[in-house]
């Protein structure tokens, strides 16, 4: 029903920055709250950030609060994750997800559609 494609991942040094993008198909992008999750090798997929349908409300995991910023451009069907002050602990595959909700849930099971993921590696 909706396709999500992440981009912008790569290798960055500790303290550096990356901006991830998630492009959605169709004209119904604004009907979905959007979230970012990440999964490190051997670990569970964990919540990172979420944004409401309109973009007016955002939420973040404690581990990234103050460093990451989620935003969306509904006219371009794109959600972003600006990541600053990156740490080695941020290394993971990052997934974009869409939810049939307004505010943006923090639980992965509440999301209906997922992108393929993009690798972020923070290392010196």
């Amino acid at each position: 029903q909706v396709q999500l494609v992440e981009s912008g991942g790569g290798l960055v040094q500790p303290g550096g920055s990356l901006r991830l993008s998630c492009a959605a198909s169709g004209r119904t992008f604004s009907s979905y709250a959007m979230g970012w999750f990440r999964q490190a090798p051997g670990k569970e997929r964990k919540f990172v950030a979420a944004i409401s349908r309109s973009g007016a409300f955002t939420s973040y995991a404690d581990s990234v609060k103050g460093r990451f910023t989620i935003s969306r451009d509904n006219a371009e069907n794109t959600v972003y994750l600006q990541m600053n002050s990156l740490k080695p602990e941020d290394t993971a595959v990052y997934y974009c997800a869409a939810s049939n909700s307004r505010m943006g849930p923090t639980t992965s099971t509440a999301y209906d559609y997922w992108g393929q993921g993009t690798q972020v590696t923070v290392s010196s």
Side-chain angles (χ1 to χ4, degrees):
Q1 195 167 353
V2 60
Q3 291 182 308
L4 306 172
V5 180
E6 302 96 334
S7 62
L11 176 65
V12 65
Q13 295 186 38
S17 298
L18 281 175
R19 190 191 195 199
L20 305 184
S21 298
C22 174
S25 64
R27 297 178 60 189
T28 60
F29 179 67
S30 62
S31 297
Y32 301 97
M34 301 295 297
W36 287 96
F37 291 76
R38 65 188 183 186
Q39 187 169 24
K43 302 293 183 64
E44 301 277 0
R45 187 172 299 185
K46 293 187 175 181
F47 170 77
V48 176
I51 189 166
S52 63
R53 292 178 180 179
S54 68
F57 301 96
T58 59
S59 62
Y60 299 91
D62 288 342
S63 59
V64 306
K65 195 173 300 181
R67 299 188 297 121
F68 291 11
T69 302
I70 188 171
S71 61
R72 67 191 297 163
D73 185 340
N74 286 347
E76 297 295 331
N77 286 6
T78 304
V79 63
Y80 304 95
L81 185 68
Q82 178 67 47
M83 305 185 294
N84 299 327
S85 302
L86 283 162
K87 306 174 181 179
E89 306 93 271
D90 297 318
T91 296
V93 176
Y94 283 70
Y95 297 90
C96 176
S99 175
N100 289 303
S101 66
R102 288 185 176 271
M103 302 302 293
T106 61
T107 305
S108 61
T109 54
Y111 287 82
D112 304 288
Y113 308 101
W114 295 83
Q116 83 290 343
T118 185
Q119 177 71 48
V120 172
T121 302
V122 184
S123 176
S124 59

